[in-house]
Amino acid sequence: MSVGLLLLRVLLAALLFGHATQKLRGWFGGSGRAATGAIFEQWGFLPGARMVLVAGLAELLGAASLAAGLLTPGGSALVVGTMTVAAVATSVNGFWAQRGGCEVPFWYGAAAVVLAFTGPGPWSLDAALGLRWSPGYAWGIAASLLGLLASAVPLASRARILRERRTTAPQGEDPAGV
């Protein structure tokens, strides 16, 4: 189980790193901050470039926390919050990633929840520093709720912006721009 938790943490962190740097730097075939900011604005996240920075930094901090196994419930909460926002924004395309759906952010968030419940395992900085996250269910619930609560702020702002667009958009136009 120790190796499995280490692999889960490191692989998820690597994917989150790639996901963040696609947005922030245009690495791994990503669009970079300006182009991703335009997409964020279409989705109702304003100002787009700033929201890309917030999302990318949250993903990087969550990835670093999970990779190192340091303050794991906090890292999990960061990932849950960021991925909840991403999943809601992409859910208009359905679930599966091949259609631009929310499958990827759902999976990343779900994996972070699993780590919040299990803890990082013995091969982690949390273990080396004597930080114990037991009982795991309490920390898992707390990390999940904190992430969901944090996602409420950008999602509420997005909902307001999309409502405003609907009232001013010409008939038949999609206010989310998707």
Side-chain angles (χ1 to χ4, degrees):
M1 186 160 96
S2 300
V3 173
L5 287 173
L6 176 65
L7 283 172
L8 178 60
R9 287 189 356 250
V10 170
L11 293 173
L12 177 58
L15 290 169
L16 288 165
F17 175 82
H19 205 246
T21 57
Q22 284 178 321
K23 287 182 199 61
L24 296 172
R25 307 286 302 174
W27 295 355
F28 307 109
S31 301
R33 192 167 165 203
T36 305
I39 293 167
F40 273 39
E41 288 192 3
Q42 287 177 344
W43 286 342
F45 298 110
L46 301 175
R50 185 181 315 152
M51 294 305 290
V52 168
L53 182 62
V54 170
L57 290 177
E59 289 169 357
L60 287 175
L61 286 171
S65 168
L66 295 178
L70 178 64
L71 305 173
T72 302
S76 293
L78 277 169
V79 174
V80 167
T82 307
M83 292 302 120
T84 298
V85 173
V88 168
T90 56
S91 68
V92 298
N93 299 319
F95 184 75
W96 301 110
Q98 80 181 52
R99 300 208 187 275
C102 62
E103 174 186 6
V104 171
F106 172 82
W107 168 243
Y108 292 174
V113 168
V114 168
L115 288 169
F117 276 94
T118 63
W123 294 348
S124 66
L125 288 178
D126 282 347
L129 296 170
L131 299 174
R132 303 278 181 243
W133 307 111
S134 55
Y137 65 87
W139 287 106
I141 291 169
S144 299
L145 288 176
L146 181 60
L148 291 172
L149 285 172
S151 73
V153 174
L155 289 174
S157 175
R158 174 182 187 252
R160 180 187 48 79
I161 290 165
L162 292 179
R163 270 193 311 276
E164 290 171 3
R165 285 183 186 171
R166 264 187 242 118
T167 60
T168 60
Q171 189 72 352
E173 188 177 304
D174 181 5
V178 181

